[in-house]
Amino acid sequence: MWEYTDTVRDHFLNPRNAGTMDDADAVGEVGSLACGDALKLFLKIDDAGVITDAKFQTFGCASAIASSSVLTEMLKGKTLAEAKKISNKDIAKALGGLPKEKMHCSVMGQEALDAALKNFAGEAAVAHEPEGELVCKCFGVTDVQIRRAIRENGLTTLEEVTDFTKAGGGCGDCHERIGQILAEELSGAAAAPKAPGDGAPKPLTNLERMRLVTKVIDEEIRPALKNDGGDLELVDIDGRQVIVSLRGACVGCPASKLTLADFVEKRLRETVDPEITVKEAR
């Protein structure tokens, strides 16, 4: 179990400013349900450039909700210039600290704030299509996000990169690439050129599809759900229909339908077959 401060517990159990804002002047959205954490930040900004109100919607763990809540409190009354200076370290500090394994929640708050400020400035939204090379497929983390976390927080180890970005916290296939990025950043070298992919994918046989579904569920989806106390069991695979049973904290969770549709089914469509459907066993 994580050791949370009283401030984290207070903001998790009594979140401030949760909800939407129909007349928001700026909206920043980061993360995704596929990553296990997502944050949408709404800002109301007056003519003098002062943030007069802030609200949030968060899907994630206690640290994600607490980080979002305290961020909205920090933003009220600040000018845009002052808001732009808020870092993930400031968010964590306002909560009295976060477990190192949960520092990525403060990073998500900073990224949502950056996205909202860019939205207010009229810059193109990039929330759903993060730029850069996708390094960690389990949590959808790019090299751009990893390099930024390394530079801004002085990270030197793979474990620290995982704590701050979640990259490498799933199947582990990306550990070697994260190590390369760490080496490049710590040595100041430019990023290594990527090898272009080529060749169209071959259609999967039924056996290949079943094996790949099982692999993605065991190595990516279940570890992501377990991070927040949930889990699922693969019950059956009938053609392109995958039948699962929810376990742990997912049972009875108000967001369970969203989890199945926007996380489990979406991830299987991305990694296995775009026509896959996921159904909960009854």
Side-chain angles (χ1 to χ4, degrees), residues 79-88 90 110 113-114 117:
T79 65
L80 293 174
E82 291 170 337
K84 195 171 184 177
K85 295 178 181 177
I86 293 176
S87 68
N88 72 289
D90 296 325
Q110 181 188 10
L113 175 58
D114 289 344
L117 296 178

Side-chain angles (χ1 to χ4, degrees), residues 39-247:
L39 167 59
K40 194 170 186 177
L41 180 66
F42 305 86
L43 301 179
K44 191 68 180 173
I45 303 166
D46 68 14
D47 294 339
V50 175
I51 298 172
T52 59
D53 198 7
K55 289 186 177 297
F56 75 94
Q57 289 182 306
T58 292
F59 173 86
C61 61
S63 297
I65 294 171
S67 294
S68 305
S69 173
V70 79
L71 173 61
T72 56
E73 290 289 276
M74 294 168 68
L75 288 172
K76 290 183 180 179
K78 283 195 167 46
T79 65
L80 293 174
E82 291 170 337
K84 195 171 184 177
K85 295 178 181 177
I86 293 176
S87 68
N88 72 289
K89 293 179 182 177
D90 296 325
I91 296 170
K93 183 179 179 181
L95 289 169
L98 283 170
K100 64 182 180 63
E101 297 86 352
K102 293 293 182 180
M103 283 299 292
H104 61 268
C105 297
S106 64
V107 174
M108 184 170 70
Q110 181 188 10
E111 291 177 345
L113 175 58
D114 289 344
L117 296 178
K118 287 181 178 178
N119 174 248
F120 184 73
E123 297 181 26
V126 295
H128 294 294
E129 295 293 342
E131 60 181 335
E133 166 199 356
L134 180 62
V135 175
C136 177
K137 295 179 180 177
C138 298
F139 297 109
V141 184
T142 70
D143 67 323
V144 174
Q145 294 167 293
I146 293 171
R147 292 180 191 280
R148 177 178 179 180
I150 292 171
R151 293 168 187 168
E152 294 187 354
N153 297 282
L155 310 184
T156 59
T157 67
L158 169 63
E159 181 183 14
E160 289 175 336
V161 170
T162 302
D163 292 340
F164 278 74
T165 68
K166 298 182 76 172
C171 68
D173 285 352
C174 59
H175 285 183
E176 182 177 353
R177 180 63 184 126
I178 294 173
Q180 292 172 348
I181 293 172
L182 265 171
E184 291 165 6
E185 288 298 322
L186 295 178
S187 68
K194 295 183 293 183
D198 56 6
K202 296 188 300 182
L204 295 173
T205 65
N206 287 335
L207 183 57
E208 288 174 334
R209 186 183 302 108
M210 291 173 65
R211 286 175 174 169
L212 193 51
V213 165
T214 302
K215 175 181 171 64
V216 172
I217 286 179
D218 286 344
E219 297 184 1
E220 297 186 26
I221 293 175
R222 293 187 64 207
L225 293 176
K226 285 181 177 180
N227 279 340
D228 291 320
D231 199 358
L232 65 74
E233 177 186 352
L234 176 60
V235 176
D236 196 9
I237 302 174
D238 182 9
R240 287 184 169 84
Q241 185 176 69
V242 177
I243 302 171
V244 299
S245 180
L246 295 173
R247 294 286 185 267

